[in-house]
Structure formats: C-alpha cells, structure tokens
Amino acid sequence: MKKIAFIITLFLCLLSPIFAQKGVGSASKLEGEVYVLSIFIASAEDDWTQKEKELMYNKQRIATTWLTKQAKLYKKNVSFKEGTFGYEKSIILKSIPSANATGNEKTDWIQSLLKKIGYKSPLEFHNWVLKNTTCKQSLVLVYANQTGNSYAFPFTADLNKQKYFVEGCLLYKKFNDGQILYPSAIAHEMLHDFGAWDLYKNFMQPQDREDKARELYPNEIMLRISLDIDDLEINGLTAWLVGLTEKKEKWYEWFKPKGY
Ligand SMILES: [Zn+2]
C-alpha cells in the first residue's frame, strides 16, 4: 500500500538575507554533473552513530536519484558525484544552533566548515571541483546532529563572492517538532541552491501564493514535502527557475518571493 503523504509546509525555509537567483553561484543550473560534498557535524555530547550517518547518506541518494529522474522528464541529463567529510569522524563543534525559519539564521556555515577542512576559501573548494572532477556545479550539504528547520544558502550576485559563492544547505536530523528529515526535504533545499522559490506561505510568501500553487501544482516539491518523494514533482515554474527548461510563462514572476 502506498504510504500516506504528509503535507508539511512550514518546516522549510529559505534564508531571508540571501535570496535565490537564477544562474549564479556554485550550483547555478541543474544540469550535467554536480559535485555534492556532504559534511557531518555534531557536538561532543551528541555525536552521530555510523548507522545514523549511513541513514542520512541513503536519504541523500534517494533525493539525488529523484532529481536525476525529474530532470529526465525535461530531457536533461543530471548526475551527482559524491564526496564526504566527517563520515568516519564527525567535525565536532562546541555547539550547533537550532533554526526556526525566522530568516535570522547563521549564514556562514559553508565558509567556516570548508576552512576547517583545509580550503582557504569556498572559491578554492569550487575551483578544486572544476580542476579535479568533471563536474561544473558544486554544493555542500551540512548534516547536523541536532533538531531545527533545515535551510539553504543560495548565492546572489550582490553577495561577497569569496565568502558565499559556494551554495549549500544546513540539514538537521530532525525538525523542531520531532519530524525526521525526509529525502524530499533534502531535494527541496538543494533546489533552492539551483534557484527555486518556496511556494508555501512563509515569511517571504503570502497565503494567496500558496493557495494558487496548490491549484496549479499540488504535487510540487517547493510547495510541500512528502514521506514518499515519488509523490512529488518538479513543475514548470521550478523547472524554469533551476534551468531545466527555457519555457517561461508570463505569470511566473507573480510567485517571486518578497525581497527579490
Ligand atoms: Zn524552502
């Protein structure tokens, strides 16, 4: 029997000071080969078990396999190459703040973690990817052994390129209400890095946009997440934003979140 889909609209957030933009940053377009670096962080008192890390990694694979399948529907080949840091031994931090989808969350995770790993700057990491792999796109997924509302770090042209060019997400093991991290939440946050907009009501989107999105795209991944990722789709608007199609409808701009 098919699993019941859970509609969760308020758990995901796009960080307010950093707005997604088409075609910029290290994950500028969902196309070709994408390098995904997964970093595991924890506090000393509450480290990941190896089994928990494997579980997270499996969820990531479900998310990326789904993204590949969705891209195929738009006749685009997308594949992912994986790298990890902290998979054998977590990066231990004094504390890991939670996040509540307020728009005031910490923004320099990728910069500070890449530094710990040994890259002078995020750009150095992206250049390493370009030089040493066949990938043209890169992003960083940070898995925190902590509860919080996961969020993304998309780049915009007005931000400091040295600090923020490399895009990524902070993914908490559980949401603040105890709900586990679904693979669809990982795919949702990754799509923000490629330029996708939230389509559910939050601090950047009014209720009428969510209502309209529900009518037009009831299974859109930027509208809701689901336990079974195959319940979800990338529809026209998100496909255009992330570069899977050039086909643009005039009314797409109506969904542009506040502050863009
Ligand atoms: Zn979101």
Side-chain angles (χ1 to χ4, degrees):
M1 205 175 95
K2 204 163 186 198
K3 286 170 193 157
I4 299 164
F6 291 93
I7 296 175
I8 298 172
T9 54
L10 290 173
F11 292 148
L12 304 166
C13 112
L14 170 63
L15 205 60
S16 72
I18 303 177
F19 303 118
Q21 229 169 43
K22 270 173 73 66
V24 291
S26 66
S28 58
K29 214 174 178 188
L30 187 57
E31 68 171 16
E33 291 176 284
V34 182
Y35 189 86
V36 181
L37 176 66
S38 308
I39 300 178
F40 288 83
I41 61 171
S43 61
E45 315 79 64
D46 196 13
D47 197 357
W48 295 94
T49 65
Q50 205 54 37
K51 212 169 171 187
E52 285 175 325
K53 286 181 185 173
E54 276 167 33
L55 189 66
M56 286 296 133
Y57 216 50
N58 283 339
K59 290 181 187 190
Q60 180 182 318
R61 291 221 169 118
I62 293 170
T64 53
T65 303
W66 180 85
L67 286 168
T68 299
K69 273 198 294 189
Q70 289 291 311
K72 270 221 168 72
L73 300 175
Y74 292 90
K75 301 189 170 37
K76 297 277 161 116
N77 283 322
V78 174
S79 60
F80 296 87
K81 285 203 168 154
E82 299 164 342
T84 61
F85 197 92
Y87 196 65
E88 285 79 29
K89 200 167 179 286
S90 312
I91 296 179
I92 300 295
L93 303 174
K94 266 194 206 127
S95 68
I96 300 170
S98 184
N100 299 303
T102 60
N104 298 313
E105 286 75 16
K106 179 175 155 68
T107 60
D108 63 350
W109 277 108
I110 291 174
Q111 185 197 359
S112 65
L113 289 169
L114 286 176
K115 205 167 210 168
K116 271 189 196 297
I117 293 173
Y119 294 100
K120 281 194 210 94
S121 74
L123 267 182
E124 194 181 85
F125 162 75
H126 184 65
N127 290 335
W128 178 89
V129 171
L130 296 180
K131 208 174 153 193
N132 295 284
T133 76
T134 45
C135 302
K136 296 278 184 286
Q137 312 279 334
S138 72
L139 58 89
V140 177
L141 302 182
V142 180
Y143 290 100
N145 195 21
Q146 164 72 277
T147 56
N149 293 353
S150 300
Y151 59 100
F153 312 104
F155 177 71
T156 54
D158 55 324
L159 287 169
N160 180 327
K161 199 175 173 188
Q162 281 293 334
K163 285 186 179 171
Y164 296 112
F165 183 78
V166 172
E167 302 178 285
C169 320
L170 179 59
L171 301 161
Y172 292 98
K173 185 168 74 175
K174 282 183 182 173
F175 288 102
N176 280 329
D177 69 347
Q179 178 68 57
I180 57 159
L181 182 73
Y182 291 161
S184 59
I186 301 175
H188 174 111
E189 296 302 338
M190 287 173 76
L191 284 165
H192 275 311
D193 291 330
F194 290 102
W197 299 334
D198 276 325
L199 297 177
Y200 65 89
K201 183 182 180 287
N202 61 20
F203 63 94
M204 293 169 73
Q205 285 290 40
Q207 184 66 50
D208 61 337
R209 307 256 174 88
E210 177 178 325
D211 295 344
K212 196 72 196 163
R214 281 187 188 284
E215 255 177 70
L216 292 165
Y217 302 135
N219 299 320
E220 162 63 42
I221 192 165
M222 301 314 289
L223 171 69
R224 65 181 181 97
I225 57 170
S226 169
L227 180 59
D228 185 350
I229 197 168
D230 290 319
D231 290 340
L232 302 171
E233 301 161 349
I234 293 177
N235 287 286
L237 166 58
T238 300
W240 171 70
L241 285 168
V242 303
L244 287 176
T245 179
E246 295 301 315
K247 196 171 170 272
K248 185 193 175 188
E249 303 291 347
K250 276 191 202 122
W251 44 267
Y252 282 174
E253 297 288 340
W254 183 77
F255 283 101
K256 193 186 268 192
K258 191 175 84 184
Y260 274 67

